[in-house]
Amino acid sequence: MKKVTVQDQGLVEKTKCHAAAIGVAMKESVYPLTATVQYPRQRKKMPDNFRGYILFDPDKCINCWECAFICPANAIRMKEAPNKKYYPTIDYGKCIFCHFCIDSCTDSALRTTKIHDVAYKDMDEMVTLTEEMIEPPEIVREDTKLVEYQIDDKDLQITKTREVDNLFVDEVPPSVEIPVVSQCIDGASCIGCHVCEYVCGSGAISSSIANGVMNMAIDTDNCTGCGLCVKECTMQILKLVRK
Amino acid sequence: MHDADIKACEEVIKMATEAAESKWEIKVPDKPLKDKLYFENLKSVVIDTEICSRCLTCAAVCPGGIIVVGDKVDFPDYETKCLDCGACVRVCPRFVYEPLSGMGSSTAFIAGRSKRFAGQDGAMVTELIVSAMEMGIIDRGLFAGRNENWETEMFHVRDPEQLAITTLSGTKYTFADVLPELKKAVKFTKNGVGVVGTPCIVSGVRKLQQEYPIFREKVKLVVGLFCTENFHYSAISQYLRDKGVDFSKLVKTDITMGKFIATMTDSEVKFKVKALEEILPSGCNVCCDFTAVEADVSVGSVGSVPGYSTISVREAIAVKILDYIKEQGYAEFGEGDPGQLGFLVGHKKKRAENLKK
Ligand SMILES: Cc1cc2nc3c(=O)[nH]c(=O)nc-3n(C[C@H](O)[C@H](O)[C@H](O)COP(=O)(O)OP(=O)(O)OC[C@H]3O[C@@H](n4cnc5c(N)ncnc54)[C@H](O)[C@@H]3O)c2cc1C
Ligand code: SF4
Ligand code: SF4
Ligand code: SF4
């Protein structure tokens, strides 16, 4: 068996360490530094892409249903609005805050916020209707301090500033996706039903008839690459390709 | 990702981009009734004149899927819902109807019996589709199966093991919605689709292939069935019930030697097919094609001894598949006798006269 002995650091070093420990103890008794955030009087600073309460902008929605299709928790139901379009509603009783819906939303009609503390009285209330998603929900704010954690190479630094955080992400950072546009890969198989033209929200697809021939065209400058026409084409002859 | 993968991805993207175009043309089909919707044209030329064969080529191609199919082809609110694209009149084999008849370009006439499967006769239809799947020519075959009430249901067979469902093979004397399902199959297939159908369905497939390259590319094997007539489900099921057929015990329906035979687990009901003339669909009454002349290969029961299927071979692809079946020893083969078909071919040819009426 091998005996492990403590390394002798020498008297000077030992005294130094003890003095430092006493110093920290004295500082803590005067100005204690806790890692716990004193919510709700203090709030932790969240990153801009925090997955919180979801906001919706009907003007940007192109009615593609992509959010409802992708939601793994089946939390999104599309409901008909007075203008005959279908808009999402979210059941927060089911939502797992994965934000797939936001990621899938082609025109940023769905947006995240840093709000994570909405309270409901019962399950029914958690079904959030479209109109309740347009404006941020009412929350009680008692916070006066903003807590920020920073981890440097040695230690966890906690800074607390007298500041109230903005919980809305006003500017959605521009997407860094590869720009794509819709193109036809088999024009001869087109039946000329115009469904692509009807569904295109940006008017990029046009058609005209002359001398018994219908001419279809996609304006690649106007096409946003949302893929709605690709999904709706009954003959599956449209594809998204790199711009 | 590995460099090789990235390269492969780039290749695919490049290929897709090269084939893509932002401008294309479509020929607009002629309208006999100029100021009417295309569906009204189809209705007045084919449906109202009662020459519609219920092949459902129109329903398969209609972009909204709004042509509904019960016993008859219909489109209740066409005034508001028809997109007026004209796809239906482009593909309807009977819009400009030139009845086909005879044997087609038959290169060989043989009898066969599958050792692996059980079917109506020699199960050669099932054998052809499954062998084509094994050879990698197709990745799915469309079968008209049935439920316990003998209503037809379409199945995509992607693995021979699925044929453990014994109701997939065997003849159902009611229309099946083959072509709307073919449209779906074309969407999902990677290699190609094999399809089985009566002569009207085969004509529909050919028309789709003639008009739209996507069907030319994806439908690799077309197996035709010999056919004198088919029936609407409501009519034939009522008729058989009146004759005392219990559908829960029914295992096989067959027409041989001029007799309709319904075999049940404990008994048999037999009567002359002629008696069925009163429920003969009007579309079949003007159909002159007995052997599905446009199919790659046609299969039927007349022309060979009982227990064998008669195979009329036309296209090279069918020869290739039959060679493979022989090589693997999947089936026994014998001689077919085209002479025996003479009567039925002639009988159907005479129906051209009904067309004039
Ligand atoms: C409506 C109808 C009428 C027929 N009339 C005659 C006739 O008068 N004379 C004659 O010699 N042969 C006729 N046949 C063909 C014959 O009954 C057999 O289908 C043929 O011999 C093939 O037998 P098999 O054992 O090789 O096929 P199987 O291996 O049993 O396979 C039969 C195939 O037919 C398909 N099928 C069955 N019913 C239908 C349907 N209603 N619509 C589309 N596909 C279907 C099944 O999906 C299956 O793929 C008719 C077939 C049908 C469907
Ligand atoms: S966050 Fe996730 S679970 Fe919630 S609605 Fe969006 S997709 Fe569905
Ligand atoms: S939408 Fe097109 S295919 Fe459908 S009925 Fe109208 S014209 Fe025919
Ligand atoms: S014959 Fe076929 S394509 Fe023509 S109307 Fe009848 S079902 Fe439709």
Side-chain angles (χ1 to χ4, degrees):
Chain A
M1 216 215 286
K2 207 172 178 187
K3 206 173 175 190
V4 183
T5 46
V6 182
Q7 191 193 354
D8 192 11
Q9 288 170 314
L11 190 65
V12 183
E13 195 61 27
K14 264 188 194 163
T15 322
K16 253 194 204 166
C17 287
H18 278 291
I22 291 164
V24 170
M26 275 164 67
K27 184 178 153 264
E28 282 297 308
S29 60
V30 181
Y31 184 71
L33 183 67
T34 45
T36 315
V37 179
Q38 305 289 317
Y39 177 81
R41 287 177 298 285
Q42 302 176 345
R43 231 170 228 277
K44 201 181 143 195
K45 189 175 165 67
M46 297 299 182
D48 276 351
N49 50 5
F50 179 75
R51 295 165 202 264
Y53 189 90
I54 297 161
L55 291 183
F56 175 68
D57 181 353
D59 293 339
K60 285 185 179 166
C61 175
I62 60 165
N63 263 257
C64 66
W65 292 53
E66 208 58 69
C67 53
F69 286 130
I70 205 165
C71 178
N74 248 340
I76 299 188
R77 281 277 135 82
M78 300 300 280
K79 288 238 167 76
E80 195 179 354
N83 65 358
K84 295 270 178 263
K85 286 191 168 185
Y86 281 80
Y87 292 134
T89 67
I90 296 182
D91 182 355
Y92 281 107
K94 290 180 180 167
C95 175
I96 55 171
F97 291 93
C98 61
H99 279 204
F100 280 7
C101 49
I102 294 181
D103 294 342
S104 73
C105 184
T106 42
D107 262 14
S108 319
L110 291 170
R111 225 155 21 102
T112 184
T113 64
K114 297 187 227 173
I115 300 169
H116 58 81
D117 42 3
V118 185
Y120 298 96
K121 282 200 281 300
D122 52 35
M123 294 294 276
D124 290 342
E125 208 181 297
M126 298 182 95
V127 179
T128 312
L129 300 177
T130 310
E131 46 277 27
E132 295 164 340
M133 291 164 63
I134 297 170
E135 289 300 322
E138 210 178 295
I139 54 167
V140 184
R141 290 198 68 168
E142 297 171 35
D143 55 315
T144 50
K145 269 189 190 162
L146 186 63
V147 183
E148 212 170 334
Y149 290 113
Q150 270 156 356
I151 301 169
D152 60 25
D153 49 352
K154 275 203 208 108
D155 210 352
L156 174 70
Q157 296 290 325
I158 301 163
T159 53
K160 292 187 178 179
T161 41
R162 256 190 197 286
E163 205 183 310
V164 181
D165 193 15
N166 177 13
L167 297 184
F168 308 110
V169 185
D170 299 323
E171 189 104 5
V172 184
S175 91
V176 283
E177 276 171 44
I178 305 157
V180 288
V181 287
S182 170
Q183 295 276 275
C184 179
I185 49 162
D186 181 5
S189 287
C190 173
I191 62 177
C193 64
H194 299 281
V195 167
C196 50
E197 198 182 335
Y198 295 138
V199 296
C200 179
S202 37
I205 304 182
S206 61
S207 66
S208 60
I209 295 188
N211 308 329
V213 174
M214 187 189 295
N215 294 294
M216 301 287 300
I218 300 177
D219 179 353
T220 45
D221 293 334
N222 280 343
C223 173
T224 57
C226 72
L228 203 50
C229 54
V230 174
K231 202 166 98 204
E232 291 300 326
C233 173
T234 119
M235 298 302 266
Q236 301 279 293
I237 52 170
L238 298 178
K239 287 267 143 70
L240 288 178
V241 301
R242 269 188 205 217
K243 206 164 176 173
Chain B
M1 256 202 296
H2 289 292
D3 278 358
D5 291 342
I6 295 172
K7 238 195 179 136
C9 286
E10 273 170 1
E11 202 87 318
V12 170
I13 293 168
K14 211 171 121 212
M15 263 161 51
T17 320
E18 270 167 13
E21 49 193 359
S22 54
K23 283 199 171 66
W24 66 100
E25 287 180 353
I26 310 133
K27 69 168 190 219
V28 181
D30 286 337
K31 259 189 195 179
L33 306 172
K34 281 274 174 301
D35 43 331
K36 292 272 164 68
L37 292 168
Y38 277 112
F39 187 75
E40 284 174 287
N41 276 268
L42 182 74
K43 199 163 144 56
S44 70
V45 176
V46 184
I47 301 172
D48 292 347
T49 53
E50 305 209 313
I51 62 167
C52 167
S53 64
R54 202 199 174 276
C55 62
L56 304 193
T57 323
C58 54
V61 85
C62 180
I66 30 199
I67 296 183
V68 293
V69 287
D71 272 358
K72 286 238 159 70
V73 172
D74 199 6
F75 189 167
D77 359 309
Y78 63 85
E79 279 115 334
T80 51
K81 288 204 178 137
C82 176
L83 301 168
D84 207 26
C85 63
C88 50
V89 306
R90 250 175 98 176
V91 297
C92 173
R94 299 209 168 166
F95 193 66
V96 182
Y97 187 31
E98 282 148 11
L100 298 162
S101 61
M103 298 288 291
S105 55
S106 184
T107 53
F109 205 82
I110 49 177
R113 175 205 200 122
S114 166
K115 293 180 196 163
R116 297 195 286 172
F117 303 104
Q120 182 74 8
D121 297 303
M124 283 311 289
V125 173
T126 308
E127 187 62 65
L128 281 162
I129 296 282
V130 172
S131 296
M133 211 142 44
E134 282 182 13
M135 292 167 77
I137 297 172
I138 55 174
D139 62 19
R140 66 184 69 213
L142 289 184
F143 278 72
R146 62 166 174 88
N147 62 17
E148 64 272 22
N149 292 324
W150 281 76
E151 284 167 296
T152 51
E153 283 173 346
M154 292 309 299
F155 282 87
H156 295 229
V157 170
R158 305 192 58 189
D159 191 299
E161 274 180 27
Q162 278 174 275
L163 286 155
I165 309 171
T166 50
T167 50
L168 288 181
S169 59
T171 301
K172 294 97 198 163
Y173 288 97
T174 48
F175 292 109
D177 302 350
V178 179
L179 292 178
E181 209 55 39
L182 181 69
K183 169 86 178 296
K184 283 187 210 157
V186 161
K187 206 163 164 176
F188 295 128
T189 186
K190 296 230 157 53
N191 291 344
V193 190
V195 61
V196 186
T198 49
C200 53
I201 290 172
V202 171
S203 296
V205 177
R206 292 303 187 218
K207 204 71 184 155
L208 286 169
Q209 290 185 316
Q210 180 193 320
E211 294 296 322
Y212 303 115
I214 192 164
F215 286 95
R216 241 174 282 159
E217 204 180 293
K218 297 285 177 67
V219 183
K220 295 273 174 66
L221 177 64
V222 183
V223 182
L225 299 169
F226 294 179
C227 176
T228 34
E229 60 248 329
N230 205 349
F231 300 95
H232 292 302
Y233 177 75
S234 57
I236 186 102
S237 59
Q238 192 55 47
Y239 194 94
L240 291 180
R241 279 205 182 91
D242 291 348
K243 285 269 176 201
V245 173
D246 180 355
F247 276 58
S248 63
K249 290 184 192 156
L250 188 60
V251 284
K252 187 173 179 179
T253 53
D254 201 2
I255 299 179
T256 33
M257 314 297 283
K259 287 216 170 63
F260 192 103
I261 307 160
T263 314
M264 283 167 286
T265 43
D266 50 4
S267 58
E268 213 178 62
V269 169
K270 244 190 209 181
F271 54 88
K272 284 220 170 83
V273 236
K274 237 184 156 37
L276 287 173
E277 238 160 49
E278 56 182 278
I279 58 163
L280 182 72
S282 57
C284 295
N285 203 25
V286 294
C287 171
C288 306
D289 187 1
F290 174 68
T291 61
V293 296
E294 291 180 279
D296 294 330
V297 50
S298 290
V299 186
S301 58
V302 281
S304 56
V305 289
Y308 276 76
S309 306
T310 312
I311 309 161
S312 170
V313 190
R314 299 203 185 89
E315 300 299 330
I317 183 119
V319 177
K320 217 165 100 188
I321 300 167
L322 283 164
D323 284 346
Y324 173 82
I325 295 174
K326 264 179 220 152
E327 219 172 83
Q328 301 287 327
Y330 287 153
E332 293 161 31
F333 288 96
E335 293 272 301
D337 175 12
Q340 288 180 29
L341 271 68
F343 172 72
L344 286 169
V345 171
H347 170 69
K348 284 207 81 171
K349 206 165 181 174
K350 273 190 235 136
R351 287 190 180 164
E353 288 161 22
N354 299 336
L355 191 61
K356 284 175 204 131
K357 288 181 213 152

